[in-house]
């Protein structure tokens, strides 16, 4: 855990720095994938930029709304998010809506655009996991494994690093799938299936997971649904 970096009197949150790095990395991957797939790089880059900006704003506003008691006496803190957090679900919804509206306005082909955006989406999720590791809000279950890390005085599974590894595997699957021709949307489905399958496994090692009333991990339920949906779509697309 390394929540802050001190540079003399200046104290910077590592999560914020990681998010800035993630912004550059995500847009760079989208730009490269657009060139690789022969897509309209300027339009896809614009879509990704709009989605990231909208996601950033809605993630911040959702976090503020959920923790309003901490901001009602400090309204300046709402527009100074460097010292506090964001809500991932709110950001995903806001960014997704913005991406759909932008894509429809520019008449971008849905499936081909998803293929191009896939590496950027996976990289963004990896950045969230890395920021989670450094800032410390998430942690794994206890372990005696030698690769465990100490968090809150307890040796735990580095579940955030597991998630980053899953992301690398998903990116590798995108590259490998792109070596042979296929139907539009195939690259997105392959990488999404690999990532969701990986998250289905590694979320079992998270100690502060979102758990339903029945004791099921919410992320695992979503991951399983995405995995099955992707596999069904891949089978159907290959048969056509």
């Amino acid at each position: 855990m390394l929540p802050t970096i001190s540079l003399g009197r200046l104290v910077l949150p590592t999560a914020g720095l990681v998010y800035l790095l993630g912004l550059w990395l995500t847009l760079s991957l989208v730009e490269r994938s657009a060139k690789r797939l022969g897509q309209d790089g300027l339009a896809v880059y614009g879509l990704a930029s709009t989605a990231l900006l909208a996601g950033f704003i809605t993630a911040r506003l959702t976090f503020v709304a959920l923790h309003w008691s901490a901001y009602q006496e400090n309204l300046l803190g709402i527009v100074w998010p460097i010292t506090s957090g964001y809500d991932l679900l709110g950001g995903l919804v806001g960014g997704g809506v913005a991406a759909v509206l932008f894509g429809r306005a520019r008449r971008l082909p849905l499936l081909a655009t998803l293929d191009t955006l896939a590496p950027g989406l996976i990289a963004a999720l990896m950045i969230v996991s890395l920021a989670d590791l450094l800032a410390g809000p998430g942690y794994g279950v206890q372990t005696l494994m030698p690769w465990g890390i100490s968090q809150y005085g307890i040796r735990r599974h580095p579940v955030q690093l597991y998630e980053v590894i899953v992301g690398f595997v998903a990116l590798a699957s995108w590259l490998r799938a792109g070596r042979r021709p296929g139907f539009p949307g195939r690259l997105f489905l392959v990488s999404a299936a690999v990532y969701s399958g990986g998250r289905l496994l590694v979320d079992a090692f998270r100690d502060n997971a979102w758990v339903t009333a029945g004791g099921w991990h919410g992320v695992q339920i979503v991951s399983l649904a995405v995995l099955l949906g992707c596999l069904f779509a891949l089978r159907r697309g290959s048969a056509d």
Side-chain angles (χ1 to χ4, degrees), residues 1-6 11-21 82 127 130-136:
M1 291 173 55
L2 184 65
T4 60
I5 296 177
S6 298
V11 179
L12 299 175
T14 53
L17 297 176
V18 169
Y19 285 135
L20 289 176
L21 172 64
I82 195 170
I127 289 297
L130 183 58
D132 186 21
L133 173 66
L134 294 175

Side-chain angles (χ1 to χ4, degrees), residues 7-233:
L7 301 175
R9 295 184 179 181
L10 181 63
V11 179
L12 299 175
T14 53
L17 297 176
V18 169
Y19 285 135
L20 289 176
L21 172 64
L23 176 65
W24 169 80
L25 179 62
T26 298
L27 292 177
S28 296
L29 286 176
V30 168
E31 186 177 24
R32 288 175 177 271
S33 62
K35 292 179 180 179
R36 185 183 183 94
L37 300 179
Q39 301 295 323
D40 184 348
L42 184 60
V44 177
Y45 190 91
L47 185 150
S49 301
T50 301
L52 286 172
L53 177 60
F56 173 83
I57 293 174
T58 54
R60 178 59 180 170
L61 293 179
T62 304
F63 182 88
V64 170
L66 293 174
H67 302 85
W68 177 244
S69 60
Y71 293 94
Q72 57 185 352
E73 301 296 335
N74 179 28
L75 297 181
L76 182 61
I78 297 175
V79 295
W80 186 246
I82 195 170
T83 57
S84 55
Y86 305 85
D87 183 79
L88 178 59
L89 181 59
L92 290 175
V93 172
V97 171
V100 170
L101 294 176
F102 187 98
R104 293 189 65 178
R106 294 296 298 267
R107 297 182 179 180
L108 294 174
L110 175 60
L111 298 180
T113 302
L114 287 175
D115 284 339
T116 305
L117 291 175
L121 291 172
I122 295 171
L125 291 171
M126 293 168 65
I127 289 297
V128 170
S129 297
L130 183 58
D132 186 21
L133 173 66
L134 294 175
Y139 46 88
V141 297
Q142 296 184 43
T143 182
L144 296 177
M145 296 297 181
W147 57 81
I149 59 176
S150 178
Q151 289 183 290
Y152 310 111
I154 301 174
R155 193 171 188 83
R156 300 178 181 274
H157 278 284
V159 65
Q160 302 95 330
L161 292 181
Y162 297 166
E163 294 169 0
V164 172
I165 293 172
V166 168
F168 277 118
V169 175
L171 289 175
S173 70
W174 185 91
L175 287 171
R176 183 171 182 177
R179 293 176 181 173
R180 55 190 181 93
F183 58 90
R186 175 173 164 270
L187 298 183
F188 173 82
L189 291 172
V190 168
S191 54
V194 171
Y195 186 82
S196 58
R199 288 299 298 267
L200 177 64
L201 295 175
V202 303
D203 198 70
F205 297 98
R206 183 176 282 274
D207 198 24
N208 66 330
W210 163 41
V211 180
T212 66
W216 297 91
H217 283 207
V219 172
Q220 288 184 309
I221 294 174
V222 174
S223 296
L224 180 60
V226 172
L227 174 60
L228 294 177
C230 289
L231 293 177
F232 175 80

